[in-house]
């Protein structure tokens, strides 16, 4: 691992909402306190946080509420999505002014982009915003992959501080982590939760597991074990968290899994399982089955 100040466990936090689709600010405070107790940071409005479905007003309220609840105990990573560049820059500046520590941006997704367009997009965004920028590569939702050589070029930018990569490609992971070894201020965060321990063993800086919404303590223990070179413990925790992930992910679409994850969090009193359109709650029978499965674990 290099000396980047960005490291550790960053949980892609669910966005808790009420039945009518409004941000549930009390639930935001509960979740942030839950994370801070276990020393993990949130990524707001990432894929798990239904980022593309959160309104501009609620995005600002979410960042403001989270920053105040965190009260300096943990860093706040704010996700940036959308297809209008000017609005993205405006939102990023508001998030930074509200106290977000890092802006994490996915590619705009309406048009298929060339490698050079991806480079220019991130370079121009990094030039245009005040706060530090982290690249976010997620092929499953953007249907595009930021090429490793583009990432390598962007790593030279003084305002680009890292990459969160959710692509399921072990060779790519190793190549991206190699970039961090020649860029002391560029961090690699693994967004492929099932490979968390492996990415840290290769020299990655951090992990971004959605299952951390439910068991942040286990991922913090995994990270700590990895930092101590205790790979037996890290790999045991990897296997255990992989099993927990199956409770909400197995045989479900990504959107359905996020609803199931909120059901799991509801069992801990953290939020209600309401979703932002176009996603919806699971059936009452499915929700009850998840609750029963958790109680039997």
């Amino acid at each position: 691992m290099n000396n980047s100040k960005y490291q550790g466990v960053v949980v892609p936090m669910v966005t808790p909402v009420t039945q009518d689709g409004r941000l549930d600010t009390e639930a935001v405070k509960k979740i942030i306190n839950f994370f801070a107790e276990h020393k993990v940071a949130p990524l707001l409005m990432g894929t798990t946080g239904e980022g593309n479905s959160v309104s501009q007003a609620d995005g600002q309220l979410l960042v403001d509420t989270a920053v105040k609840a965190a009260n300096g105990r943990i860093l706040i990573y704010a996700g940036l999505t959308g297809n209008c560049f000017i609005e993205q820059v405006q939102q990023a500046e508001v998030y930074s002014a509200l106290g977000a520590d890092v802006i994490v941006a996915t590619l705009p997704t309406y048009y298929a982009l060339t490698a050079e367009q991806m480079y220019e997009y991130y370079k121009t965004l990094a030039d245009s915003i005040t706060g530090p920028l982290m690249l976010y590569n997620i092929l499953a939702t953007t249907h595009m992959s930021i090429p490793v050589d583009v990432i390598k070029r962007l790593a030279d930018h003084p305002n680009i501080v890292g990459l969160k990569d959710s692509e399921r490609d072990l060779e790519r992971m190793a190549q991206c982590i190699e970039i961090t070894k020649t860029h002391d201020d560029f961090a690699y965060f693994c967004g492929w939760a099932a490979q968390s321990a492996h990415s840290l063993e290769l020299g990655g800086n951090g992990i971004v597991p959605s299952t951390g919404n439910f068991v942040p303590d286990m991922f913090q223990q995994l990270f700590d074990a990895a930092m101590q070179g205790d790979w037996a413990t890290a790999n045991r925790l990897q296997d255990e968290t992989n099993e927990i992930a199956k409770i909400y992910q197995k045989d479900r679409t990504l959107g359905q899994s996020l609803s199931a994850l909120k059901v799991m969090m509801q069992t801990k009193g953290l939020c209600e399982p309401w979703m932002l359109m176009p996603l919806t709650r699971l059936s009452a029978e499915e929700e009850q089955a998840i609750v029963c499965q958790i109680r039997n674990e």
Side-chain angles (χ1 to χ4, degrees), residues 75-132:
L75 294 180
I76 302 293
Y77 294 74
L80 195 66
T81 59
N83 291 307
C84 176
F85 185 78
I86 291 174
E87 289 182 357
Q88 284 187 304
V89 171
Q90 291 170 344
Q91 282 293 91
E93 291 297 79
V94 171
Y95 295 162
S96 294
L98 289 170
D101 297 286
V102 188
I103 301 300
V104 186
T106 57
L107 287 168
T109 59
Y110 190 79
Y111 299 105
L113 303 177
T114 65
E116 195 58 30
Q117 286 171 331
M118 293 181 198
Y119 172 80
E120 287 296 332
Y121 165 73
Y122 278 120
K123 179 184 179 298
T124 308
L125 183 61
D127 288 342
S128 304
I129 67 175
T130 308

Side-chain angles (χ1 to χ4, degrees), residues 213-270:
N213 280 281
F214 186 65
V215 285
D217 52 326
M218 293 180 73
F219 284 100
Q220 186 57 47
Q221 290 164 19
L222 187 159
F223 181 80
D224 289 343
M227 292 305 96
Q228 294 159 13
D230 181 358
W231 298 110
T233 299
N235 288 316
R236 173 181 60 77
L237 287 161
Q238 182 72 77
D239 291 341
E240 291 174 3
T241 54
N242 288 349
E243 288 304 308
I244 293 169
K246 290 177 184 176
I247 298 173
Y248 69 99
Q249 293 175 351
K250 191 172 187 299
D251 300 325
R252 292 190 174 94
T253 64
L254 175 56
Q256 289 172 325
S257 75
L258 302 183
S259 182
L261 179 56
K262 285 186 180 179
V263 174
M264 292 171 67
M265 294 176 72
Q266 185 182 34
T267 67
K268 292 191 172 185
L270 293 169

Side-chain angles (χ1 to χ4, degrees), residues 9-31:
V9 183
V10 177
V11 177
M13 185 178 129
V14 303
T15 299
V17 294
T18 58
Q19 186 172 359
D20 59 0
R22 297 175 188 272
L23 184 71
D24 187 342
T25 53
E26 290 306 308
V28 172
K29 294 172 190 175
K30 285 182 186 176
I31 297 169

Side-chain angles (χ1 to χ4, degrees), residues 277-289:
M277 290 292 289
L279 300 183
T280 55
R281 283 181 69 158
L282 303 176
S283 69
E285 292 78 15
E286 287 177 287
E287 289 188 2
Q288 188 56 42

Side-chain angles (χ1 to χ4, degrees), residues 11 18 27 38 85 95 119 157-158 166 172 178 183 201 211 230:
V11 177
T18 58
H38 296 293
F85 185 78
Y95 295 162
Y119 172 80
H157 194 291
S166 298
R172 174 191 171 87
E178 280 301 307
H183 294 76
E201 191 165 10
T211 311
D230 181 358

Side-chain angles (χ1 to χ4, degrees), residues 39-71:
K39 301 180 175 59
V40 305
L43 165 60
L44 309 176
M45 293 173 287
T47 304
T48 305
E50 302 169 77
N52 276 286
S53 303
V54 178
S55 69
Q56 286 196 6
D58 271 351
Q60 294 174 17
L61 180 59
L62 174 55
V63 172
D64 186 44
T65 305
V67 167
K68 287 174 178 171
N71 195 27

